[in-house]
Amino acid sequence: MKILLAIDGSAFSLEVARHALRNAKHGLRASLVLVNVQEPASLYEIVVAHDADVIRQVRSQAGADLLAPAEALLDAAGVAFESEVAGGAPAATLLELSENYGCSAIIAGARGLGAASVGGLGSVVQDLLLHSPVPVTVVRLPAAATEGEGAA
């Protein structure tokens, strides 16, 4: 079994990694794929940078930085994983990568870095739930973590 973990650098996505670790401790045997999706460059970024390679490099480094805390958590627990930083529309790219890696499940945070919408679920996770051919587990933050943040 291979599971894709959607990691965007939010507290929710770090909880995704913790959820995967709890499952591993309870005997789930799965290989993990951590994915960060960087949205396409804006027109402003394209005009200012003048160089597609520079934009790709900056986005790749930004994605690697956002993956680092989850990778450190898995490393500390001795759990093997693969990582990828990809570019594109987040939900569509996550679905494409889950297929490319042969994943049989996806774990994503209830919300990411964007604003919450319907039922406290972000737009990316809503799209995953609507369009994923494999099961999607949605992870919420523990109640103590959300008290001070005014979460829905």
Side-chain angles (χ1 to χ4, degrees):
M1 172 182 248
K2 192 173 271 196
I3 302 172
L4 184 142
L5 306 182
I7 306 293
D8 67 359
S10 68
F12 283 89
S13 69
L14 196 54
E15 193 60 30
V16 164
R18 288 186 185 107
H19 179 79
L21 283 175
R22 284 190 298 272
N23 285 336
K25 283 183 181 178
H26 288 104
L28 179 66
R29 293 183 187 194
S31 56
L32 303 176
V33 180
L34 281 70
V35 175
N36 174 267
V37 179
Q38 294 290 302
E39 294 202 33
S42 68
L43 179 59
Y44 175 78
E45 290 169 318
I46 293 168
V47 169
V48 170
H50 299 293
D51 187 344
D53 289 334
V54 169
I55 293 171
R56 265 191 297 281
Q57 185 178 27
V58 168
R59 290 190 177 280
S60 179
Q61 185 58 53
D65 289 346
L66 294 171
L67 285 170
E71 290 172 338
L73 196 62
L74 296 176
D75 276 336
V79 173
F81 59 88
E82 299 172 72
S83 291
E84 181 167 338
V85 176
T93 303
L94 289 168
L95 291 172
E96 180 181 331
L97 289 172
S98 101
E99 183 179 333
N100 292 350
Y101 278 97
C103 294
S104 52
I106 298 170
I107 304 176
R111 287 193 351 225
L113 297 173
S117 52
V118 180
L121 298 178
S123 61
V124 172
V125 81
Q126 287 179 50
D127 283 349
L128 291 174
L129 289 168
L130 287 171
H131 302 291
S132 178
V134 298
V136 176
T137 299
V138 179
V139 177
R140 295 185 183 277
L141 290 176
T146 59
E147 287 174 1
E149 114 181 13

